[in-house]
Each structure stands twice: as C-alpha cells, then as structure tokens.
C-alpha cells in the first residue's frame, strides 16, 4: 500500500499533523460532555407528594415545620406525618397521600383507618443537592418517571442512527465537511436544548444533538488515523478517547458547580465553541483525495504538509498509485484528474460480509463494539449509584480512563491489538464477577472493582476504533467504523435498561456484562493481528490480513512493527 509512503517522506507526526490532531481532539471533548450530560440533567432528588397549609411535620424522631427542612433526611422509607392548619393529619410518601380518620394525638405511629389517594401532581423537592433539573421542572416522577428514564436511551438511539448515517456520508462527501457540519450543529443544538420549553422539545433536540455528536466522533477517528503515520497511529487514535474522558470529567465538575439544568447545559455546550473559529481551515485527508481521484488537491496537500513541517516535498502523487493506475506514461495530473481510482466502486454495508472470512471478522468486531459500549456505560451510569459523593464517583470514572489508554497504547504497540483487546475483556469480566461476591457493606472495595472494570473495558473500547480502521480498507473504512459504532450504540441504548435491572437483582447488570465480556474476549483471539501492517486500500488486501504468504513472513509478534515499516519503504 503505497499511500503510506506519505508519512515516511513527510513525517509521521510533525507540526502539520500535530496542529490538526489537537484541534480535532479538542472538539471530541464535546462528545464526552453531551453523552454523559443526562446523568445530572435528569437527576431525581428526594421528593414527596404534598398537601396545602402544612404546619407541623414528624419523621421518626425528627420534627420540623417545613418540608424543605426535613426532605434531606427523607430517603423514601416510611411516610412523613404532617398536620395542616385545618387540623387534618396526613401521611405523605413519594407517590401517594393518606388521610388519617379521627386521630387522637399527633404521633408518628397510627393504627386507625386511613383514606388513601394518589398524588395529584403536587410535589415538594429537596433542593440541597439539585436546585433544578428537568425532573423538578416538569414533575417527571411517579407515573411520569418512565419519561425521565427514557431520555438516555432516546439519546443513544440518536447516536446509533448518527453513527451509521454520518459514517456513510463521510465516505461519499469527505471527512472535513462532516466535521464542520457536526461541530456547528453540536454547538447550536446544545444551546437550544437549554431553551426547550417542554419535555418533548427537549427529547427531540437531544436526539438531534446525539446524531451530530455521534457523527463527529465516528469521523474524527477516521480523520486522525488517515493523517498520522504508522509509528504514532496507536497513540493518536487511542487518545481521542482521552478527550472524551476529559468531557466526562467536565460534566462532573460542572454538575457540582452548577445545579440549575439549563445553565448547566449552556456551560457544557460552550466549552468547546472556540473550535468553530478554525475548523473551516481543516484540509481533506490524503487517503480520501487519492481514493476519489482528486490528484491535484492531493498534490497541493502534500506540498502544504512539507512546507509546514519544514521539509522539501520531493514526493509526487503518481508515486503513490498502484502501477495499473498509471496510463502509458501520460502526465498524471492531466490524464487522471477527476477520475476515481480503480479501487473505488459503489459499496454498501453488505460488502462487510462479502466472504465468510470477512463476515466472521465483522461479526466479532461488532460484538466487541457492543460489549465495549454496554460495559462502558453500565460502569459510567452506575458510578453515581455506588455510594459516597456522586460527583466524585463520576469524575473518577472519567479519570480512570486516562491511565487505561496509556497502558493500552504500550500494550498495543508491543504485544499487538488482538493480544491487548482479549485480556482486557477477560479482566472486565472477572471484575464484574468479583463485584457480585463482594459483601455489600464493603463500599470502598465495590467502588475499586468497578473502577478496575471501567479501566479494562476502556482499553477494549478505545482500541476497537483503531482496530476497525486497520481491519478494513480505505473505500469502506468510515462505513466500517460507522456500522461498528452503530452496534456500539445498540449497546449504549441497552445499557440504561441494563442498569435498571438492578431493581430485579442488584448484581444482574454486572452478571450480564461479565458473561458477555468473557465470551467475546475469547472470540477476539480469532481476529487477525494488524500491528505494524500498513492501512489497506482494497477489499482484497483487507481480506488477506492474517494470511501468511510464505514462511518467511511469519515472524515473532515483537518484530511485526519493523516488518510493517519495511513494507512501507518498499
């Protein structure tokens, strides 16, 4: 694959690529922000159904004259006993009220008759932790509780559709156009969410926001992969996830500082707005330009890279093409300009299953995407329910990803993609099983095991983006990543419902994630290794991955990177 020569000649990660990379990954912070923002947007504080004119309150041995004073102590267990100015005594709980019939004294315990009525939409909320969320503004509790729980799955459904749609469009119209459009829409829709007047506008705007956020995240991985050389590709692709993790930490910090949901949403949406001032200067990738037959644009780009990197550009586009694409020695830029490469044809998602070999590969890759996302969001969304300070827990859930990507990068470059991904999934499965057997009263150990599980699953989740890029050729690379991301979003849609299964059995989410992670970890060992291999251009080259043409090509895993570099030089 001769296009990889660009990086040998012009640098694998010099000034030009570094500027593009850090700008593109800066905007990826916004994706992490919007994906996890609902943790506090739809947070449900302590609340109770209320009656008017309350003068006295009893809760166990506690007394008060205002519901706002007693609610921080109210955990939903047992009723609040109140007395009104008219002398009535009520037992208040979260979704119902009971009127005591002919009480003698104002005491907490009562054995007489009661008249029970369902809540009529009058609630009082505890504002000590959450001043305003969409739950408190629109009373999404009791019979409307399912609407609040539907917000995150609906958002992830938008992520699923956006991953598939934008991944396909990026292969047709280019990576840069999608990056610009999705960045502008992320900012506009993010701010618009803060001004949604009701729940239904909120859900629709968040759904559209999910589509464009997913579109950016899918395409930016392809973009940075096609602009960086094989020597640094592992690090650059993995650390896009580090920007996503920073976004999670920003959510935790902003949620702690800002307790009003619409101000919180505006702050989060404007964090990465400076990116909009220079994203329109981004160039298209050399891989895409050559694959589409835009050879003059590709040559201009090569000249620009050389100039910014302080090098002399001796590389010509015609040197990057396969021999059959050079016609009779005629001037390349005159003869072939505007003609698509012979490797380009109209491809669809069905081409990912073009042979039994590719079908098996695609199914395994999709399974990794699925469990990576399911485990990632089960650990992330469940972190606020581990006990202790929910803001610190979410911050730690994001912070633990940063060392996981460093460990993942070292392992991927030394033992390979396959031998890093499989053990990571197996470790996540073991962590889930250990959480089940840990006594419930050892809270710190449960948190530690959860962070180990998040650490391991983050390695696999971060690795699969790069692994997918390397397993598929240029002509369907964005589609492959987009379809994989679609399966990833199926996992993220399922994740909130998986977390809700804790109501059936508190450890059921961990049991599901643990079993799936272990099984898929074993299947991962069947994938071909791509360490040190150049990016492929055609389906035939991609299908040949893992096949050894001769005994000479079978080298120990530690030498694969060196062999890949020799292929580039040839």
């Amino acid at each position: 694959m001769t296009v990889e020569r660009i990086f040998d000649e012009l640098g694998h990660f010099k000034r030009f690529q570094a500027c593009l990379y850090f700008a593109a990954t800066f905007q990826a912070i916004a994706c992490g922000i919007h994906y996890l923002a609902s943790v506090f947007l739809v947070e449900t504080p302590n609340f109770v159904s209320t009656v008017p004119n309350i003068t006295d309150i009893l809760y166990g041995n506690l007394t008060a004259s205002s519901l706002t004073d007693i609610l921080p102590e109210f955990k939903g267990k047992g009723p609040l006993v109140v007395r009104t100015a008219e002398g009535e005594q009520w037992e208040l709980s979260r979704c119902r009220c009971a009127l005591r019939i002919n009480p003698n004294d104002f005491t907490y315990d009562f054995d007489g008759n009661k008249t029970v009525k369902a809540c009529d939409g009058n609630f009082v909320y505890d504002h000590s932790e959450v001043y305003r969320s969409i739950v408190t503004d629109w009373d999404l509790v009791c019979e409307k509780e399912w609407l609040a729980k539907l917000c995150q799955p609906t958002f992830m459904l938008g992520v699923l559709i956006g991953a598939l749609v934008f991944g396909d469009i990026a292969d047709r119209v280019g990576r840069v156009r999608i990056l610009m459009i999705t960045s502008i829409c992320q900012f506009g829709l993010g701010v618009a969410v803060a001004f949604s007047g009701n729940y239904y506008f909120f859900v629709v705007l968040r759904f559209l926001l999910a589509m464009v956020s997913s579109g950016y995240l899918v395409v930016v991985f392809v973009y940075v992969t096609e602009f960086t050389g094989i020597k640094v590709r592992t690090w650059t692709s993995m650390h896009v996830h580090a920007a996503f993790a920073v976004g999670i930490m920003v959510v935790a910090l902003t949620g702690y500082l800002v307790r009003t949901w619409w101000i919180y949403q505006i702050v989060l949406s404007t964090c990465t707005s400076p990116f909009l001032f220079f994203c329109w200067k981004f160039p298209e990738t050399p891989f895409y330009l050559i694959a589409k037959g835009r050879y003059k644009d590709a040559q201009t780009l090569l000249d620009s890279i050389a100039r910014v990197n302080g090098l002399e550009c001796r590389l010509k586009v015609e040197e990057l093409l396969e021999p059959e694409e050079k016609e009779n020695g005629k001037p390349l830029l005159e003869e072939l300009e505007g003609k698509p490469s012979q490797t380009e044809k109209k491809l669809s998602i069905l081409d990912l299953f073009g042979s039994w070999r590719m079908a098996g590969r695609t199914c395994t890759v999709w399974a990794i995407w699925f469990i990576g996302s399911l485990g990632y969001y089960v650990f992330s969304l469940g972190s606020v329910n581990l006990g202790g300070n929910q803001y610190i827990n979410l911050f730690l859930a994001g912070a633990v990803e940063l060392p996981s990507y460093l460990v993942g990068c070292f392992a991927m470059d030394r033992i390979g993609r396959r031998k890093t991904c499989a053990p990571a999934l197996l470790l996540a499965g073991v962590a889930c099983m250990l959480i089940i057997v840990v006594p419930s009263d050892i809270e710190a150990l449960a948190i530690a095991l959860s962070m180990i599980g998040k650490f391991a699953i983050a390695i696999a989740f971060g690795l699969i983006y790069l692994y997918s890029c390397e397993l598929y050729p240029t002509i369907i690379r964005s589609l492959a990543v987009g379809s994989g991301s679609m399966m990833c979003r199926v996992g993220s849609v399922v994740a909130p419902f998986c977390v809700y299964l804790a109501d059936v059995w508190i450890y059921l989410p961990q049991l599901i994630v643990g079993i799936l992670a272990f099984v898929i970890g074993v299947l991962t060992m069947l994938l071909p290794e791509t360490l040190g291999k150049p990016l492929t251009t055609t389906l035939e080259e991609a299908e040949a991955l893992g096949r050894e043409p001769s005994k000479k090509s079978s080298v120990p895993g530690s030498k694969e990177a060196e062999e890949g570099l020799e292929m580039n030089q040839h």
Side-chain angles (χ1 to χ4, degrees):
M1 226 295 294
T2 53
V3 181
E4 289 278 3
R5 285 189 54 202
I6 292 173
F7 307 114
D8 292 329
E9 297 285 342
L10 303 180
H12 288 250
F13 192 72
K14 289 186 177 291
R15 190 181 302 123
F16 186 94
Q17 295 102 315
C19 291
L20 288 181
Y21 176 77
F22 289 114
T25 53
F26 175 75
Q27 180 64 7
I29 295 174
C31 300
I33 286 172
H34 294 307
Y35 277 41
L36 273 297
S38 65
V39 170
F40 300 125
L41 281 173
V42 300
E43 187 176 2
T44 302
N46 279 333
F47 71 94
V48 68
S49 183
T50 187
V51 293
N53 302 321
I54 294 174
T55 57
D56 300 289
I57 304 169
L58 291 176
Y59 182 56
N61 296 324
L62 302 176
T63 61
S65 58
S66 171
L67 286 174
T68 56
D69 295 333
I70 203 72
L71 273 179
E73 305 298 328
F74 179 63
K75 304 302 180 183
K77 296 180 180 180
L80 295 178
V81 179
V82 301
R83 182 165 55 190
T84 67
E86 293 79 14
E88 296 178 336
Q89 292 186 22
W90 292 83
E91 294 182 3
L92 308 181
S93 58
R94 287 186 170 175
C95 296
R96 68 171 193 160
C97 303
L99 175 64
R100 291 178 172 179
I101 306 300
N102 299 321
N104 294 323
D105 299 312
F106 184 49
T107 60
Y108 189 76
D109 297 317
F110 179 73
D111 296 328
N113 295 324
K114 307 171 189 176
T115 301
V116 179
K117 71 170 186 175
C119 59
D120 55 3
N122 294 318
F123 303 97
V124 174
Y125 297 95
D126 175 19
H127 296 294
S128 61
E129 287 291 330
V130 180
Y131 184 67
R132 286 178 62 183
S133 69
I134 67 167
V135 172
T136 63
D137 276 13
W138 300 325
D139 291 330
L140 303 181
V141 292
C142 297
E143 72 275 2
K144 293 183 179 180
E145 181 183 7
W146 66 275
L147 293 175
K149 290 185 175 181
L150 195 61
C151 287
Q152 187 68 9
T154 304
F155 182 89
M156 289 304 178
L157 180 62
V159 170
L160 184 157
I161 296 173
L164 185 60
V165 170
F166 286 105
D168 187 28
I169 294 176
D171 282 329
R172 300 174 187 273
V173 304
R175 286 70 160 124
V176 169
R177 290 182 183 178
I178 300 302
L179 293 182
M180 288 192 294
I181 292 171
T182 53
S183 298
I184 293 170
C185 290
Q186 272 194 96
F187 173 74
L189 290 170
V191 174
V193 166
F195 297 97
S196 51
N198 59 56
Y199 172 82
Y200 299 102
F201 278 122
F202 175 86
V203 170
V204 170
L205 289 173
R206 286 265 300 166
F207 179 84
L208 297 175
L209 177 60
M211 288 185 63
V212 297
S213 295
S214 174
Y216 185 89
L217 195 59
V218 167
V219 177
V220 76
F221 275 100
V222 178
Y223 187 79
V224 300
T225 299
E226 294 184 349
F227 254 118
T228 52
I230 196 170
K231 291 182 179 179
V232 296
R233 193 168 288 143
T234 300
W235 291 84
T236 55
S237 64
M238 285 286 280
H239 284 83
V240 175
H241 289 286
F244 189 94
V246 170
I248 298 176
M249 297 162 68
V250 170
V251 167
L253 181 60
T254 307
Y256 176 76
L257 297 175
V258 181
R259 306 297 176 91
T260 300
W261 75 269
W262 62 271
I263 300 176
Y264 163 86
Q265 179 66 30
I266 291 175
V267 171
L268 293 178
S269 299
T270 55
C271 283
T272 59
S273 57
F275 177 79
L276 302 178
F277 294 107
F278 49 83
C279 67
W280 59 276
K281 294 289 289 182
F282 274 30
E284 191 53 83
T285 71
F287 281 85
Y288 180 84
L289 293 175
I290 293 174
K292 290 294 182 179
R294 293 167 55 182
Y295 302 116
K296 287 184 178 178
D297 292 338
Q299 187 63 58
T300 301
L301 175 61
L302 296 182
D303 295 338
S304 298
I305 295 174
R307 184 175 63 255
V308 175
N309 289 345
L311 302 171
E312 180 183 353
C313 185
R314 296 187 296 265
L315 187 64
K316 301 301 179 183
V317 172
E318 56 263 34
E319 300 173 16
L320 305 177
L321 300 181
E322 300 298 338
E324 62 270 15
E325 293 176 320
K326 303 176 183 180
E327 298 184 2
N328 303 321
K330 295 180 180 179
L332 177 73
L333 298 183
E334 296 177 6
E335 188 66 25
L336 297 182
E337 177 63 29
K339 295 182 181 179
S341 163
Q342 290 184 13
T343 59
E344 182 191 3
K345 60 179 181 179
K346 291 186 177 179
L347 299 172
S348 68
I349 196 171
L350 296 179
D351 289 282
L352 299 175
F353 300 86
S355 67
W356 286 109
R357 185 179 179 86
M358 291 298 290
R361 180 184 303 178
T362 299
C363 289
T364 303
V365 168
W366 282 8
I368 299 171
W369 280 94
F370 176 82
I371 188 57
S373 178
L374 179 65
Y376 185 93
Y377 288 106
V378 165
F379 284 120
S380 295
L381 296 173
S383 65
V384 296
N385 300 320
L386 292 174
N389 188 295
Q390 60 182 349
Y391 302 103
I392 293 177
N393 289 347
L394 183 61
F395 187 89
L396 289 176
V400 76
E401 292 184 47
L402 302 181
S404 75
Y405 299 135
L406 291 175
V407 172
C409 285
F410 279 112
M412 288 165 66
D413 276 344
R414 282 159 178 76
I415 64 175
R417 282 73 161 119
R418 181 182 59 195
K419 293 181 181 178
T420 299
C421 187
L425 290 174
L426 295 175
L427 176 60
V430 170
C432 287
M433 297 306 175
L434 290 177
I435 291 174
I436 296 176
V437 301
V438 166
S440 58
D441 57 335
I442 309 180
E443 191 176 272
L445 183 56
I447 293 174
L449 286 172
S450 179
M451 294 305 160
I452 291 173
K454 178 67 181 298
F455 176 90
I457 209 73
I459 293 176
F461 195 29
L463 178 153
I464 192 58
Y465 282 84
L466 174 61
Y467 205 8
S468 296
C469 284
E470 293 178 340
L471 287 171
Y472 295 94
T474 302
I475 51 177
I476 57 169
R477 186 168 294 126
S478 286
L479 180 60
V481 176
S483 63
S485 187
M486 177 188 69
M487 294 304 300
C488 161
R489 302 318 162 195
V490 172
S492 58
V493 170
V494 173
F497 296 109
C498 187
V499 173
Y500 301 152
L501 289 177
D503 296 335
V504 178
W505 183 44
I506 189 170
Y507 297 119
L508 189 54
Q510 285 82 4
L511 179 64
I512 293 172
V513 172
I515 293 175
L516 289 176
F518 190 87
V519 172
I520 297 171
V522 173
L523 292 176
T524 301
M525 296 303 296
L526 301 176
L527 291 176
E529 182 56 68
T530 59
L531 175 62
K533 306 289 175 56
L535 292 180
T536 57
T537 303
T538 65
L539 286 170
E540 292 76 14
E541 291 175 353
E543 189 170 348
L545 286 172
R547 292 176 179 171
E548 299 296 345
S550 66
K551 293 182 179 180
K552 293 181 179 180
S553 62
S554 299
V555 295
S558 60
K559 296 182 179 179
E560 287 179 9
E562 180 181 350
E563 292 294 309
L565 293 178
E566 289 180 5
M567 290 172 62
N568 288 342
Q569 293 170 359
H570 290 304

